[in-house]
Amino acid sequence: MNQTVHNPEPYDFRQYDRIWQRVAPNLEPYPGMCAMSGVSPAAEPGMAGPAVPAQPVTPAVPAQPVTPAMPAQPVIPPQAGLLPGADANPCCMGTAAAEMLDVLTGYIEDAHSDRRAILALVRIAPGWARQRLRDIAAELGEQAKRLMAAHYLITGNCYRPSVAGTAPRPDRWCPALRERYHAAACAGLNYARSADDTNDPCLARLLNDLSAASYRHADALMRLLERGLS
């Protein structure tokens, strides 16, 4: 009679692992047995926490090549001819204005002459008119200075006006006022014409300012004459 031989079932060592996990959870019992069974204790439920995923490895960044510092460049001072304002032909008070040099020198002489004539008129003027005449004489002196400054800007040379003595004293008040009025009004007209003739914008503006000032002088002299005739 044949007898059937039953092979014993393989022993499950995992149950011992579970017991050790309850008794001493920080230990790994039977490390050799776990290796034999092919089961990791951490894989059993309730035995260990979830496995921490491996962190991705960041590839190393290659070092950037260091660019050597450039040596400091020496500071070269600009040449005198290249400095602002030293242009041989500037936009203002340049070649276009130089064409009016003879006219400017004539205006400088006229302004000084008119100033001397007004100061001579003060000596025969009534008391109420003298201060106004002195103011006009001072303004004529300022006009001459502005014209001399323009001459220097154009040429780089100082203009020396001719030296003249005191203007002769006029004999009569009203005829002298009439003469000074016409001189001031004609100066205003001539300045305006010269401003229209020049292509230099700065010189044109200066001449227009002097034209307006001369017309104001003519108006002031006319008011003095109106009072002198009354």
Side-chain angles (χ1 to χ4, degrees):
M1 184 175 179
N2 295 333
Q3 295 181 350
T4 303
V5 179
H6 297 279
N7 294 327
E9 295 181 359
Y11 192 81
D12 190 0
F13 292 96
R14 290 178 294 179
Q15 60 181 342
Y16 292 99
D17 292 343
R18 298 189 186 99
I19 295 173
W20 275 101
Q21 284 292 331
R22 290 195 294 270
V23 175
N26 294 329
L27 298 179
E28 290 188 2
Y30 308 113
M33 296 300 180
C34 293
M36 292 174 60
S37 63
V39 178
S40 174
E44 293 294 324
M47 294 177 60
V52 179
Q55 298 294 330
V57 179
T58 303
V61 178
Q64 297 294 330
V66 179
T67 303
M70 298 297 294
Q73 297 295 328
V75 178
I76 302 175
Q79 300 178 4
L82 300 179
L83 291 174
D87 191 347
N89 186 22
C91 61
C92 275
M93 301 299 181
T95 302
E99 299 175 358
M100 304 283 291
L101 277 179
D102 291 339
V103 176
L104 291 181
T105 56
Y107 285 151
I108 294 172
E109 297 294 341
D110 289 344
H112 281 290
S113 177
D114 292 341
R115 175 180 175 273
R116 290 190 295 268
I118 292 294
L119 290 176
L121 187 58
V122 172
R123 295 195 296 269
I124 66 169
W128 51 265
R130 291 177 181 175
Q131 185 56 51
R132 187 67 187 96
L133 292 174
R134 293 190 184 98
D135 293 341
I136 294 175
E139 292 173 5
L140 287 169
E142 293 299 322
Q143 287 187 13
K145 291 179 181 179
R146 294 185 67 185
L147 289 166
M148 292 172 65
H151 186 281
Y152 183 83
L153 289 173
I154 298 169
T155 64
N157 299 319
C158 295
Y159 178 79
R160 302 297 181 185
S162 61
V163 178
T166 303
R169 179 175 178 174
D171 296 331
R172 293 180 295 173
W173 166 244
C174 287
L177 279 178
R178 178 175 178 266
E179 180 182 353
R180 289 297 93 207
Y181 167 83
H182 285 299
C186 289
L189 178 61
N190 291 332
Y191 282 134
R193 286 176 174 174
S194 297
D196 292 338
D197 292 340
T198 182
N199 293 323
D200 189 291
C202 297
L203 181 59
R205 185 175 63 178
L206 171 62
L207 294 173
N208 281 323
D209 289 346
L210 298 180
S211 175
S214 296
Y215 280 125
R216 288 195 298 270
H217 295 163
D219 292 340
L221 293 168
M222 185 173 181
R223 287 191 293 270
L224 294 178
L225 181 59
E226 291 171 358
R227 185 170 179 180
L229 292 174
S230 58

